[in-house]
Amino acid sequence: MEGVDHLADERNKAEFDVDEMKIVWAGSRHAFEVSDRIARLVASDPVFEKSNRARLSRKELFKSTLRKCAHAFKRIIELRLTEEEAGRLRHFVDQPAYVDLHWGMFVPAIKGQGTEEQQRKWLSLANKMQIIGCYAQTELGHGSNVQGLETTATFDPKTDEFVIHTPTQTASKWWPGGLGKVSTHAVVYARLITDGKDYGVHGFIVQLRSLEDHSPLPNITVGDIGTKMGNGAYNSMDNGFLMFDHVRIPRDQMLMRLSKVTREGKYVPSDVPKQLVYGTMVYVRQTIVADASNALSRAVCIATRYSAVRRQFGAHNGGIETQVIDYKTQQNRLFPLLASAYAFRFVGEWLKWLYTDVTERLAASDFATLPEAHACTAGLKSLTTTATADGIEECRKLCGGHGYLWCSGLPELFAVYVPACTYEGDNVVLQLQVARFLMKTVSQLGSGKVPVGTTAYMGRAVHLLQCRSGVQKAEDWLNPDAVLEAFEARALRMAVTCAKNLSKFENQEQGFQELLADLVEAAIAHCQLIVVSKFIAKLEQDIGGKGVKKQLNNLCYIYALYLLHKHLGDFLSTNTITPKQASLANDKLRSLYTQVRPNAVALVDAFNYTDHYLNSVLGRYDGNVYPKLFEEAWKDPLNDSVVPDGYHEYLRPVLKQQLRTARL
């Protein structure tokens, strides 16, 4: 029934103030108010309608994306939105588009690697969208291995120009979003060659298309790479390919903040340290972690609401069936994902702080924490995106057969999100970067060099290698010191074991190759410790009322104890805990599920997502699922006619046994 809240009983069970939790989730009252206002603005604008995306052809979908982007930019100007408000508006429009790369990669690359003069020139044009940019790094034959890129930029001192060239087919730029049909310019990464010497990969601003008629400039071949996974999803984005045939650009279009080439062709490293480029990387990866909490919370919101609506089995003598959310098997799969959404939110907040801290340190030429910050952001990008992609798929399964329908919102969400496991660094490759950093840190433990930041626990190696968990009863697993020590000891012991095994090889690189799987596991253990520690640190802050804090406390320990259960082999094999303590952790985990159960719907309400943003029949705020599923079914083009097209040509002859058989 329209207007009836079918989840009202669930909401009445809440033991905390949902409005307070909304502010905690948003990060501040100001952030909540901005987000809430912009979300409602987008939801009420018919141009941003998106319920028909699955039924659009690729061309129609792409054109609708262009329309939405133009309308969004128009509204941003008309309403004089701040940078923060504009960012939220683009977020809630919720359609992958060329603006994602323009604002998310092109502009930050110029800010991070351009000189002040270059920034004045190019950012002025980019901010007004008089030019539209993308980020052309990945090639057909190379992605994560940036140093293996083949595109060349050869300096010609006779004309004071760089010659950008694609020497092989595998050197074609491949995948950049916005490149296929929209971008007028790109930051192109190519091997800088001057005076016959290769100075490695550098960034160059290259114009791709005419600003008059949008046609590709001479000697540039550019297009869209084709349809991707899912209906709608990333098919609204024009991911592209790009080839250069000796394209000339002025020398001053090399991004020259970190190094430059003189008029005579001499390569000159800048006084600005090269490490500054890591500041941009930290920024991009912290936004990816924030996106992980958004995507996972969205999936969890859908699955939680539908689990409360759906009833299956359990009825006796014709009585009412049991809500699916009341089954422990459902809680055991769903509530850790709910806890993970909150955990990723809070570690994302901390990463914002880390980015600010790193930026300030770099400006003061303090590079002491940079390796740790780089490893930390690489590891957390990998950990959160992997868990989120897996979590969205698990939420689809938690919704049973209906979760497979496009209108559930989950198939498209998965198709949109899963590329995050690859872009900005393949997740396994990133964990190996973390592992290298951990091995270096372990090797320096006896040298007097004190580990910093997220590796500070390694400074207590002597204690952590010898300690045994003091947990004696299930309640002890709610002691933050006991939980942290267990995660620290496990992470350190796995790292030390890897280091010992590496030392057995005469050739360290050969050893690293042999131990790749173990090194990845050690890196994951370290990253999980970071997330657990930041969630616990959040609980120590002055947040919300007593009810809010209690719910966050429950979620924090669900996250930690679920990880302990999932990776029990690590904790037992490193002698961090005993089998009896593991059993006690399981007991406590079950009791925490029971405590979260009456608050589950309210906890996802705290995400404050509009029905427009969720775009899910199963996750509707009012829980009115089944009539809406029928409404969506009738909208499908196949239901435009009672008798399907093709009946007379193909179906009737089969039914009437009128198929003509050919003579051999």
Side-chain angles (χ1 to χ4, degrees):
M1 295 179 337
E2 291 289 346
V4 175
D5 184 352
H6 296 266
L7 290 169
D9 288 344
E10 286 294 325
R11 296 188 167 104
N12 290 334
K13 295 174 185 175
E15 300 163 339
F16 67 99
D17 187 324
V18 178
D19 288 336
E20 276 191 35
M21 189 68 88
K22 286 178 180 177
I23 292 168
V24 173
W25 174 262
S28 68
R29 182 174 293 279
H30 167 75
F32 163 72
E33 289 172 350
V34 168
S35 189
D36 185 62
R37 177 164 46 83
I38 299 297
R40 295 180 192 285
L41 175 74
V42 171
S44 64
D45 192 324
V47 175
F48 297 132
E49 170 61 33
K50 60 184 182 180
S51 61
N52 66 336
R53 277 197 298 226
R55 294 183 278 274
L56 298 180
S57 69
R58 176 85 201 281
K59 281 190 171 182
E60 290 170 333
L61 181 65
F62 181 66
K63 191 172 181 180
S64 83
T65 306
L66 298 184
R67 180 186 179 217
K68 288 180 181 180
C69 290
H71 185 64
F73 192 57
K74 178 170 171 274
R75 297 299 284 148
I76 288 166
I77 294 168
E78 288 173 346
L79 298 171
R80 298 182 180 178
L81 299 187
T82 64
E83 193 173 325
E84 177 191 12
E85 291 167 333
R88 296 312 290 162
L89 187 142
R90 288 190 291 269
H91 168 75
F92 285 121
V93 168
D94 186 43
Q95 194 149 312
Y98 66 88
V99 290
D100 300 351
L101 276 292
H102 176 81
W103 296 112
M105 297 295 288
F106 181 72
V107 168
I110 295 172
K111 282 181 179 176
Q113 297 168 47
T115 62
E116 288 184 13
E117 185 181 349
Q118 288 175 321
Q119 289 183 39
R120 277 194 299 274
K121 175 182 177 180
W122 295 104
L123 292 180
S124 174
L125 295 168
N127 288 334
K128 295 173 187 170
M129 294 198 81
Q130 291 173 314
I131 63 171
I132 295 169
C134 68
Y135 188 84
Q137 178 172 290
T138 299
E139 295 178 357
L140 188 58
H142 281 98
S144 294
N145 181 18
V146 176
Q147 297 312 311
L149 297 179
E150 299 177 76
T151 303
T152 56
T154 306
F155 184 65
D156 181 355
K158 294 175 187 172
T159 59
D160 196 26
E161 293 173 316
F162 281 103
V163 181
I164 312 291
H165 184 59
T166 305
T168 64
Q169 189 176 55
T170 53
S172 307
K173 296 299 178 184
W174 191 276
W175 272 115
L179 171 63
K181 294 294 172 184
V182 174
S183 295
T184 62
H185 290 68
V187 171
V188 175
Y189 287 86
R191 313 196 71 79
L192 192 159
I193 299 168
T194 183
D195 200 22
K197 186 174 178 183
D198 184 336
Y199 286 91
V201 176
H202 290 68
F204 302 82
I205 299 174
V206 184
Q207 184 172 348
L208 308 177
R209 291 179 168 94
S210 162
L211 294 176
E212 297 303 317
D213 63 6
H214 207 63
S215 58
L217 296 184
N219 302 319
I220 288 179
T221 303
V222 61
D224 186 276
I225 63 171
T227 305
K228 290 142 296 204
M229 173 179 171
N231 284 14
Y234 247 92
N235 290 305
S236 57
M237 177 83 85
D238 55 325
N239 298 86
F241 61 81
L242 172 66
M243 289 170 280
F244 301 100
D245 183 4
H246 299 93
V247 172
R248 290 177 172 270
I249 63 169
R251 176 173 56 90
D252 65 5
Q253 285 180 214
M254 169 190 172
L255 290 173
M256 292 195 186
R257 187 180 182 191
L258 306 178
S259 55
K260 64 181 180 179
V261 171
T262 67
R263 176 65 186 84
E264 297 73 35
K266 183 182 178 186
Y267 180 82
V268 182
S270 164
D271 291 338
V272 177
K274 278 194 173 182
Q275 290 97 324
L276 278 179
V277 74
Y278 287 120
T280 304
M281 198 177 290
V282 171
Y283 167 77
V284 171
R285 286 179 178 161
Q286 64 94 8
T287 63
I288 292 174
V289 173
D291 288 343
S293 77
N294 287 331
L296 183 56
S297 60
R298 189 169 166 177
V300 167
C301 185
I302 295 167
T304 301
R305 287 176 178 170
Y306 182 60
S307 294
V309 169
R310 184 73 171 183
R311 292 177 178 273
Q312 291 278 49
F313 307 115
H316 298 287
N317 303 319
I320 195 165
E321 290 180 286
T322 302
Q323 287 170 280
V324 170
I325 199 170
D326 284 331
Y327 289 104
K328 286 294 180 182
T329 46
Q330 193 82 349
Q331 294 175 13
N332 188 52
R333 295 161 66 195
L334 178 59
F335 291 169
L337 297 176
L338 173 60
S340 297
Y342 276 89
F344 296 168
R345 190 69 163 190
F346 299 143
V347 82
E349 280 181 8
W350 172 74
L351 277 180
K352 277 187 183 177
W353 169 85
L354 181 71
Y355 169 66
T356 304
D357 182 64
V358 165
T359 304
E360 289 173 355
R361 287 173 182 269
L362 290 176
S365 297
D366 175 4
F367 309 115
T369 63
L370 194 57
E372 184 263 338
H374 177 240
C376 170
T377 51
L380 289 175
K381 182 271 177 185
S382 173
L383 181 81
T384 58
T385 55
T386 297
T388 296
D390 292 345
I392 295 169
E393 169 61 5
E394 187 67 9
C395 285
R396 184 192 66 76
K397 294 174 186 173
L398 285 164
C399 291
H402 297 333
Y404 192 64
L405 284 168
W406 185 89
C407 66
S408 75
L410 293 164
E412 187 183 33
L413 179 59
F414 179 77
V416 165
Y417 188 76
V418 78
C421 295
T422 308
Y423 62 58
E424 280 309 292
D426 173 84
N427 281 357
V428 173
V429 173
L430 289 180
Q431 290 296 12
L432 289 172
Q433 291 180 12
V434 178
R436 285 190 184 277
F437 172 71
L438 292 178
M439 294 304 96
K440 186 175 180 181
T441 305
V442 170
S443 72
Q444 294 172 338
L445 287 179
S447 68
K449 186 172 181 180
V450 181
V452 295
T454 56
T455 55
Y457 70 97
M458 290 189 168
R460 295 182 289 109
V462 174
H463 168 73
L464 290 173
L465 287 171
Q466 296 174 345
C467 69
R468 294 289 179 270
S469 176
V471 168
Q472 295 182 346
K473 55 186 186 298
E475 206 62 26
D476 292 344
W477 279 118
L478 297 185
N479 180 335
D481 293 335
V483 170
L484 278 176
E485 186 174 82
F487 274 82
E488 287 173 349
R490 168 220 184 192
L492 180 73
R493 292 174 192 188
M494 290 177 73
V496 167
T497 298
C498 283
K500 284 180 179 175
N501 289 337
L502 270 177
S503 68
K504 297 173 185 175
F505 289 84
E506 288 183 22
N507 183 318
Q508 285 290 294
E509 276 308 305
Q510 183 194 351
F512 205 86
Q513 292 300 318
E514 286 291 325
L515 298 171
L516 285 177
D518 293 346
L519 288 159
V520 167
E521 292 300 318
I524 289 171
H526 170 70
C527 294
Q528 289 173 342
L529 164 61
I530 295 173
V531 181
V532 169
S533 67
K534 298 310 170 189
F535 205 153
I536 288 174
K538 182 73 176 180
L539 297 177
E540 295 169 355
Q541 297 175 14
D542 183 21
I543 46 170
K546 189 175 179 182
V548 165
K549 204 147 193 172
K550 183 183 177 186
Q551 295 310 314
L552 292 177
N553 198 73
N554 289 342
L555 292 172
C556 176
Y557 290 101
I558 283 176
Y559 180 74
L561 297 181
Y562 177 77
L563 287 180
L564 187 149
H565 173 72
K566 185 178 178 183
H567 298 275
L568 190 54
D570 291 347
F571 286 91
L572 293 176
S573 66
T574 55
N575 292 318
T576 302
I577 63 172
T578 65
K580 172 65 175 172
Q581 290 167 332
S583 179
L584 292 172
N586 252 359
D587 293 343
K588 177 45 63 180
L589 193 54
R590 282 195 302 275
S591 74
L592 287 170
Y593 292 158
T594 302
Q595 291 178 56
V596 165
R597 165 62 191 94
N599 298 282
V601 168
L603 283 166
V604 300
D605 284 351
F607 303 148
N608 202 38
Y609 293 145
T610 63
D611 282 345
H612 173 272
Y613 179 65
L614 278 183
N615 201 28
S616 168
V617 171
L618 303 188
R620 292 172 56 89
Y621 182 85
D622 64 10
N624 191 23
V625 170
Y626 301 120
K628 297 300 178 182
L629 281 173
F630 258 105
E631 275 185 32
E632 287 301 313
W634 282 117
K635 290 177 186 175
D636 193 277
L638 277 182
N639 288 323
D640 287 348
S641 61
V642 176
V643 176
D645 291 345
Y647 167 76
H648 291 287
E649 302 98 312
Y650 309 114
L651 189 55
R652 181 181 170 85
V654 171
L655 291 168
K656 299 297 183 183
Q657 303 292 294
Q658 293 172 346
L659 293 175
R660 293 181 180 179
T661 54
R663 289 186 178 180
L664 296 177

